[in-house]
Every structure is written in structure tokens, then in C-alpha cells.
Amino acid sequence: MKIAIGADHAGYRLKDEIVPFLLSQGHEIEDLGCDCNQSVDYPDYALPVADKVASGQADRGILICGTGIGMSIAANKVPGIRCALVHDMFSAQATREHNDTNVLAMGERIIGPGLAQEIVRIWLETPFSNGERHAGRVQKVKQIEQQYTVHP
């Protein structure tokens, strides 16, 4: 699976723990930064990752900031993105099974590398259930997105 990953200054250390884990699992990684502890703006990293996923250049995306909140808000502004903020294993599984999420957001200040790796593993391995009620709900979300997307 090709995964785009990005982080801001408050999440780059966790990103640097997740990338080797993903590579060890056989995934192809596109690291879109950042790699420093100097203050940067999380939307500048959320957008490139979300764009890669929305355009099909990446199968999934992972975003990390201090809490994961800002990254998830920014990513969800991109049409076609269903980003979930996850800090536990149950939510990692449920958000894939029920919501067919394609971007995962996490907070470095909330969880450590061991839990983050397990969340990522579960999130990547869990398929969308494609059950009628879940598929219908995801379709309704897509319809909402289309309703509010400006078309030139």
C-alpha cells in the first residue's frame, strides 16, 4: 500500500517512529514532512497528504500533530477525504469498518510510539465492512460533500 505521511513540528518525532514501522510492514511511504521542531503551520502538511489521497496518488494518508485535531480538521476540508482522529485501537478498527476512512490523524502529545504503531497496523489492516447500513452512511457523507463543493 502506498501511504502519504505528514506531520507538523509537534508530531514529527512520532512520524519518524511510524515511517520505519510502515516500511518494515512492506508499505511504500511518501514522507511529506516536516522534519524539525521549529513552529510550522499544520495545514501546510495536512493539505499535501490529503491531496495525494484524494487524487489517488496514495492509497491512504497519516497525519500527526500535537493532538491530531488540527490535522484532522484541515484534511477533512479536501473533497474525497474521510479523516479520523484516533487515539485507541477500537476506534482505529471502527473507523475503517464503519466509515471507510482514508486518512488517519493522531496526536504525538496524546499517545506514544508503541500505541501509535498498533493503531496504524489495525487501521491499515481493517477493511471497510461494506455492509449496507455503513455503505449507505458513507454515501450520505459523500452527498453532503458534493452539496457543499463549489464546481467551476
Side-chain angles (χ1 to χ4, degrees):
M1 192 178 299
K2 183 168 184 182
I3 301 164
I5 189 167
D8 70 0
H9 62 282
Y12 84 95
R13 287 175 297 275
L14 185 57
K15 176 182 65 74
D16 289 349
E17 297 277 342
I18 296 297
V19 167
F21 170 74
L22 291 168
L23 291 170
S24 76
Q25 300 294 301
H27 299 291
E28 180 183 345
I29 306 305
E30 185 166 1
D31 186 341
L32 298 168
C34 92
D35 293 311
C36 67
N37 62 1
Q38 295 158 348
S39 184
V40 296
D41 298 330
Y42 61 82
D44 296 340
Y45 298 90
L47 181 60
V49 169
D51 278 343
K52 291 283 183 181
V53 175
S55 70
Q57 295 175 53
D59 300 304
R60 303 260 186 94
I62 298 174
L63 294 167
I64 306 166
C65 63
T67 63
I69 296 167
M71 287 290 203
S72 64
I73 291 169
N76 278 315
K77 299 299 181 187
V78 175
I81 295 302
R82 289 178 308 285
C83 179
L85 173 58
V86 174
H87 292 129
D88 63 85
M89 294 180 291
F90 173 78
S91 297
Q93 181 177 342
T95 193
R96 282 292 308 135
E97 286 179 347
H98 299 180
N99 311 113
D100 196 20
T101 54
N102 52 13
V103 177
L104 172 69
M106 298 183 292
E108 181 178 310
R109 294 176 181 156
I110 310 295
I111 58 174
L115 178 56
Q117 288 177 7
E118 190 62 12
I119 287 168
V120 167
R121 184 190 65 74
I122 290 168
W123 184 74
L124 290 173
E125 292 177 359
T126 302
F128 178 50
S129 72
N130 222 2
E132 186 176 332
R133 66 185 170 134
H134 297 304
R137 292 169 183 159
V138 170
Q139 188 58 39
K140 284 184 177 188
V141 170
K142 289 178 181 179
Q143 289 169 349
I144 292 168
E145 181 180 80
Q146 289 172 353
Q147 179 181 345
Y148 288 94
T149 301
V150 176
H151 301 284

